[in-house]
Amino acid sequence: MCSCINFSNLYKSTYPFFKKSAFLLDAEVAHELTINSMKLMGKYLPNHERADNFQVKAMGLTFDNPIGLAAGLDKNAEAISYFTHLPFGFVEVGTVTPLPQIGNEKPRLFRYPEEESLRNKMGFNNLGADKVLENLKFSNRRGKIIGVNLGKNKVTPNEQAVLDYRSLYKKFCDDADYLVINVSSPNTPGLRDLLKDKGLREIFEGLAIERVNKKIPLLIKVSPDMGDEELLSTVALVNEFSLDGIIATNTTIMKDRGDGGVSGKLLSLKSKRVREILLKEISKTHSKAELIGVGGISTFNDLMDFWKAGGKLAQIYTAFVYGGPPLIYSFESLLKAEYNKRGVITFEEFHDSLNIISK
Ligand SMILES: Cc1cc2nc3c(=O)[nH]c(=O)nc-3n(C[C@H](O)[C@H](O)[C@H](O)COP(=O)(O)O)c2cc1C
C-alpha cells in the first residue's frame, strides 16, 4: 500500500464510523472481527515513519517511543503486523498458556461507555504456546519491541505453576524481546495467591535456573488490589532475583459491577496509587527495575502524570478500544508539542525536565 497516505488523518476520519458500528455488536464479537481484519490489513500496511527523538532506552532495549499496547488485546500474536504499523513503541502479546485454553463461559466482556471502562472475565483464552510462537515467528514486527505475557493453565495447580512458567520461558526466550510473568489476572481461580511472597519466590527461583542459560528481560505484572506491604515485598523480591521490571497494573475487582476485572477510567485511581508506591520504592531501594505503567491511562495528561511520577514506559488497552488509532497518533503529536514547549530534543531530556515526584 502506498506509504504516501496520511494514516493519522485517515484513521481520524474513519474511526468514529468504525467505532459506532463495532459498538452495536456484542463486545467480544466486535473484538474478534476487529482482530481478524487487523490480521488481514497488517500484511499490506506500511511502516509508521519513526522519529528517533522519542526513543526510550530501558532494560537493555531501545523502544521506538514510550507508549505500548498492553497484553490481552492480541492474545495470540495474530495482529502484530497491524499494531506495529501504528505509532506504538512496543506491543505485548498474550497472555499465552502452555496448552490451548477456551477460557470462561460467554458473555465475558462488557462495556461501560459512559465511564470509558470495560469489565472482562475472559480467563486466558488463547491458542496455546506452540501456535502463539508460530504466529510470533511469522509476524512483521517492523523492528519494534515485542513482549510476551505468560500465564499458567487453569488446570495446573498453583503448586506446579512454576513448571508452566519455566516451560513458557524456555519456549519464548529466543523470539520475544521481553517476557512477563502474569499472576495478577482475577479470572483464573487462585492465580493471585501466587502474588504472595511464597508463590512469587518459587516462580522466581524456578526461572532463575532458566535465566542462567538464556537471559532476556523478565518482568512481573501486579494487581491494583494489592496492599502496601505486598507491594513493598514484591519490590524486595524483584531486587533479590534481579528481575528487570514490574508492570503495574492488571484489572481490578469491583464486586458491585460483577465478576471479572475492570479496566479503563474506573481503574485509574487504584492503578495510579500502586504505581506511585512502586516508583517510590524502586527509587528508595536503588532498584534497577523498570516500571511499566498501565491501568486507566486514557489521556495525554494521564501520561504526563505518570512521567512526572518517575515512570517512562506506559501501556494502554481500554483507552485504545474507545479512542482507536487516532488516540495513539495524538499522543505522538502532543509529546512533540511538549518537547517544543520545554525546548528539549530527546525523551531523556524531556524526562529530566520534569519535576520527578518519586526522587
Ligand atoms: C478484555 C481484556 C483482556 C485482557 N487480557 C489480559 C491478558 O490476557 N493478560 C494480561 O496481562 N492482561 C490482560 N488485560 C489487562 C490489560 O493488559 C491491562 O493491564 C488492564 O486492562 C489495565 O489497562 P487499561 O486500563 O489501559 O485497560 C486484559 C484487559 C482487558 C480489558
Side-chain angles (χ1 to χ4, degrees):
M1 190 177 288
C2 176
S3 60
C4 51
I5 296 172
N6 181 328
F7 279 93
S8 172
N9 286 342
L10 183 70
Y11 283 124
K12 213 187 278 174
S13 56
T14 54
Y15 191 70
F17 171 75
F18 166 81
K19 182 179 164 187
K20 216 171 175 179
S21 328
F23 273 48
L24 293 174
L25 303 171
D26 162 78
E28 191 170 346
V29 171
H31 173 86
E32 276 167 12
L33 286 173
T34 309
I35 288 287
N36 282 336
S37 42
M38 285 172 166
K39 199 163 129 183
L40 265 176
M41 284 192 298
K43 288 185 193 149
Y44 305 104
L45 292 167
N47 290 349
H48 171 67
E49 209 177 293
R50 311 156 85 138
D52 285 349
N53 57 344
F54 292 137
Q55 280 185 355
V56 179
K57 290 192 192 316
M59 308 186 291
L61 303 170
T62 301
F63 295 74
D64 260 16
N65 72 52
I67 299 143
L69 179 74
L73 224 161
D74 190 7
K75 285 181 186 282
N76 296 310
E78 292 167 304
I80 289 178
S81 317
Y82 177 81
F83 288 116
T84 52
H85 130 89
L86 297 178
F88 276 121
F90 59 114
V91 172
E92 191 172 309
V93 298
T95 295
V96 54
T97 54
L99 302 172
Q101 209 169 260
I102 55 167
N104 294 325
E105 226 174 87
K106 295 178 184 175
R108 53 190 183 179
L109 179 57
F110 311 90
R111 303 185 185 102
Y112 300 113
E114 301 78 33
E115 290 148 314
E116 289 181 33
S117 298
L118 296 170
R119 175 167 58 88
N120 88 84
K121 44 176 179 170
M122 308 298 286
F124 289 170
N125 53 310
N126 76 103
L127 298 175
D130 288 340
K131 183 64 190 162
V132 173
L133 180 63
E134 189 189 314
N135 289 344
L136 183 64
K137 280 183 191 285
F138 292 107
S139 62
N140 180 359
R141 305 170 175 214
R142 307 174 197 274
K144 294 195 178 174
I145 299 292
I146 308 294
V148 180
N149 186 300
L150 316 175
K152 76 163 191 75
N153 276 114
K154 187 177 175 183
V155 292
T156 307
N158 274 2
E159 306 74 58
Q160 284 168 29
V162 61
L163 300 179
D164 277 10
Y165 290 102
R166 276 184 72 174
S167 81
L168 290 164
Y169 185 98
K170 268 198 278 197
K171 184 153 282 233
F172 286 97
C173 65
D174 289 326
D175 293 278
D177 294 307
Y178 71 83
L179 295 173
V180 183
I181 305 163
N182 182 4
V183 282
S184 51
S185 164
N187 300 318
T188 297
L191 187 73
R192 282 182 172 192
D193 292 342
L194 294 171
L195 271 173
K196 306 241 157 52
D197 192 83
K198 183 174 168 287
L200 270 195
R201 181 173 287 281
E202 238 170 73
I203 294 171
F204 290 178
E205 273 169 359
L207 290 177
I209 304 167
E210 302 304 332
R211 292 175 90 207
V212 172
N213 300 325
K214 171 88 191 194
K215 206 161 190 290
I216 77 161
L218 181 66
L219 299 91
I220 169 93
K221 186 163 179 178
V222 299
S223 147
D225 304 320
M226 289 163 82
D228 294 19
E229 285 308 312
E230 254 183 311
L231 292 168
L232 301 187
S233 64
T234 302
V235 175
L237 272 184
V238 161
N239 292 343
E240 184 184 333
F241 285 88
S242 302
L243 255 67
D244 300 273
I246 303 177
I247 303 191
T249 68
N250 214 312
T251 55
T252 183
I253 293 173
M254 292 176 79
K255 275 284 167 224
D256 54 325
R257 301 271 170 162
D259 290 344
V262 174
S263 58
K265 288 195 171 165
L266 285 168
L267 163 66
S268 183
L269 283 180
K270 282 192 193 175
S271 223
K272 208 169 154 187
R273 168 196 151 260
V274 166
R275 284 194 286 272
E276 288 177 2
I277 293 173
L278 292 172
L279 283 166
K280 279 200 187 110
E281 191 64 7
I282 284 171
S283 171
K284 194 173 135 196
T285 57
H286 306 288
S287 170
K288 69 167 187 66
E290 193 65 37
L291 185 110
I292 300 185
V294 56
I297 297 178
S298 316
T299 63
F300 188 71
N301 272 346
D302 295 333
L303 283 169
M304 284 297 287
D305 281 350
F306 174 62
W307 290 326
K308 282 180 188 161
K312 288 182 181 168
L313 298 168
Q315 293 177 322
I316 63 165
Y317 186 134
T318 304
F320 184 74
V321 171
Y322 286 97
L327 184 72
I328 313 306
Y329 283 94
S330 79
F331 287 160
E332 199 187 44
S333 48
L334 289 166
L335 184 56
K336 210 177 281 174
E338 201 59 40
Y339 274 22
N340 291 341
K341 203 167 94 187
R342 290 166 186 269
V344 298
I345 294 169
T346 65
F347 188 80
E348 276 312 305
E349 287 174 8
F350 161 71
H351 204 252
D352 286 346
S353 77
L354 303 167
N355 223 348
I356 306 289
I357 304 162
S358 61
K359 277 191 180 159

